[in-house]
Amino acid sequence: MPYFIIVLGTAGSGKTSLTSVLQTYLVSHQLDAITVNLDPAVESLPYKPDIDVRDYVDAREIMRKTGLGPNGSLIASIDMLITNISDLKEEIDSYRANYVILDTPGQMEIFAFRPTGPLVLESIVGDHKVAALFLTDITYATRPSSLFSALLLAASTHFRLKYPQVNVLTKIDLLPREEVEKILAMLGDPEQLVSGISSEHDLRLLWDPGDVEYIAEKLTIFETIPVSNTTGEGFDDLYASIQRIVAGGEDYYTEEPNPVL
Ligand SMILES: Nc1nc2c(ncn2[C@@H]2O[C@H](COP(=O)(O)OP(=O)(O)OP(=O)(O)O)[C@@H](O)[C@H]2O)c(=O)[nH]1
Ligand SMILES: [Mg+2]
């Protein structure tokens, strides 16, 4: 019974890099991990996917044949994938791997929010255990308001896909350590996050600070792991977190449907 790890996040947040680094990490820990590229439009990958959605649908070919733009052809590709999803699933099953890492496309809204994206994931995953990783590029989350907005996006993905989810802050190698610590401190203390938001002088918020605080408390319940795909920092913590979700026993799902929330 494989465990599925779904790598989600905004464009350029490091999904593909993390997929590659995580596979190497798992394999180096004697775990059999395979990668699935679910991006029909990707041109080059830093890893060789064991299973490639481009063998099933070709976004470029669809673009050429239909005259659709890049987004339109990506939507059409994901829609078409539904028709041969059982073949893709069979190919995944044939590996009998411990872990299956799914690398999703950059335009996450197409994949996570349109009906067919979640349906593709649901069909692949079936009743296996899943950990969803929602990636945010930490360099875009340094302002308290942008951190809050990243948390909203992460939460909305969780509500759409409904998998146990860990939030991952990527590219921590690009910030001074103190700045990373400051961001983690805000995530550990919603009051700090809200006072940070309130002190941004160019802020014109329609929401009441009390409401922001209430929501910040809910949003910061998600576990957050800081990582660097470049240096490999944080992957021990990320693996431990994934383990807690997928191998945490039946109780994890039955008694606490979602302990990350
Ligand atoms: N410094 C640094 N760069 C990173 C890290 N992770 C990814 N990158 C770089 O960020 C860029 C985007 O990384 P990808 O892994 O392609 O991101 P992605 O989310 O798969 O991108 P899309 O699929 O296009 O949405 C690349 O230039 C990577 O080399 C990291 O942890 N640190
Ligand atoms: Mg990618």
Side-chain angles (χ1 to χ4, degrees):
M1 288 281 274
Y3 297 138
F4 285 84
I5 301 169
I6 309 177
V7 186
L8 300 148
T10 48
S13 57
K15 299 177 290 294
T16 297
S17 310
L18 184 133
T19 298
S20 168
V21 178
L22 186 58
Q23 181 190 31
T24 308
Y25 180 95
L26 292 170
V27 169
S28 73
H29 286 75
Q30 281 72 51
L31 293 159
D32 187 12
I34 60 166
T35 53
V36 182
N37 167 46
L38 284 180
D39 188 345
V42 73
E43 276 185 55
S44 72
L45 291 167
Y47 61 91
K48 190 181 173 325
D50 296 292
I51 293 145
D52 196 335
V53 74
R54 292 173 297 180
D55 295 338
Y56 294 84
V57 282
D58 183 343
R60 271 157 219 292
E61 171 114 347
I62 290 171
M63 192 150 110
R64 210 166 35 77
K65 279 196 181 149
T66 60
L68 287 166
N71 277 331
S73 54
L74 183 58
I75 292 172
S77 309
I78 303 288
D79 288 354
M80 277 169 71
L81 185 59
I82 283 293
T83 59
N84 44 14
I85 196 72
S86 57
D87 294 345
L88 180 82
K89 187 169 167 43
E90 250 172 54
E91 196 187 345
I92 293 174
D93 290 344
S94 73
Y95 278 83
R96 303 184 171 282
N98 303 129
Y99 286 90
V100 180
I101 311 171
L102 307 176
D103 179 12
T104 65
Q107 295 88 327
M108 61 158 286
E109 65 283 5
I110 293 173
F111 207 79
F113 296 115
R114 281 178 55 82
T116 39
L119 197 60
V120 164
L121 291 178
E122 200 59 28
S123 317
I124 292 176
V125 163
D127 53 10
H128 296 292
K129 289 187 178 173
V130 189
L133 310 181
F134 186 88
L135 276 51
T136 299
D137 179 336
I138 197 169
T139 64
Y140 296 143
T142 51
R143 276 170 61 119
S145 56
S146 49
L147 178 61
F148 188 82
S149 135
L151 287 169
L152 284 168
L153 198 52
S156 86
T157 304
H158 173 66
F159 275 91
R160 189 71 181 86
L161 297 176
K162 304 175 189 73
Y163 296 124
Q165 178 172 308
V166 175
N167 291 342
V168 180
L169 291 171
T170 58
K171 312 193 188 183
I172 58 168
D173 57 289
L174 296 178
L175 288 186
R177 189 67 218 177
E178 316 82 79
E179 197 151 358
V180 174
E181 293 296 343
K182 243 170 71 187
I183 291 166
L184 295 176
M186 284 192 278
L187 290 170
D189 178 4
E191 258 180 52
Q192 237 187 85
L193 173 61
V194 175
S195 74
I197 292 173
S198 317
S199 65
E200 287 180 28
H201 56 270
D202 59 342
L203 206 68
R204 306 268 184 281
L205 271 190
L206 294 176
W207 286 6
D208 206 79
D211 293 341
V212 176
E213 180 151 356
Y214 178 77
I215 292 167
E217 269 169 28
K218 305 289 164 205
L219 294 177
T220 49
I221 298 172
F222 283 89
E223 185 178 10
T224 306
I225 311 280
V227 304
S228 165
N229 295 319
T230 309
T231 66
E233 196 184 341
F235 276 76
D236 285 334
D237 292 338
L238 179 60
Y239 174 60
S241 178
I242 292 169
Q243 272 306 95
R244 278 196 293 280
I245 292 178
V246 295
E250 287 306 312
D251 289 354
Y252 191 98
Y253 284 84
T254 50
E255 285 172 24
E256 283 186 272
N258 194 346
V260 274
L261 262 186

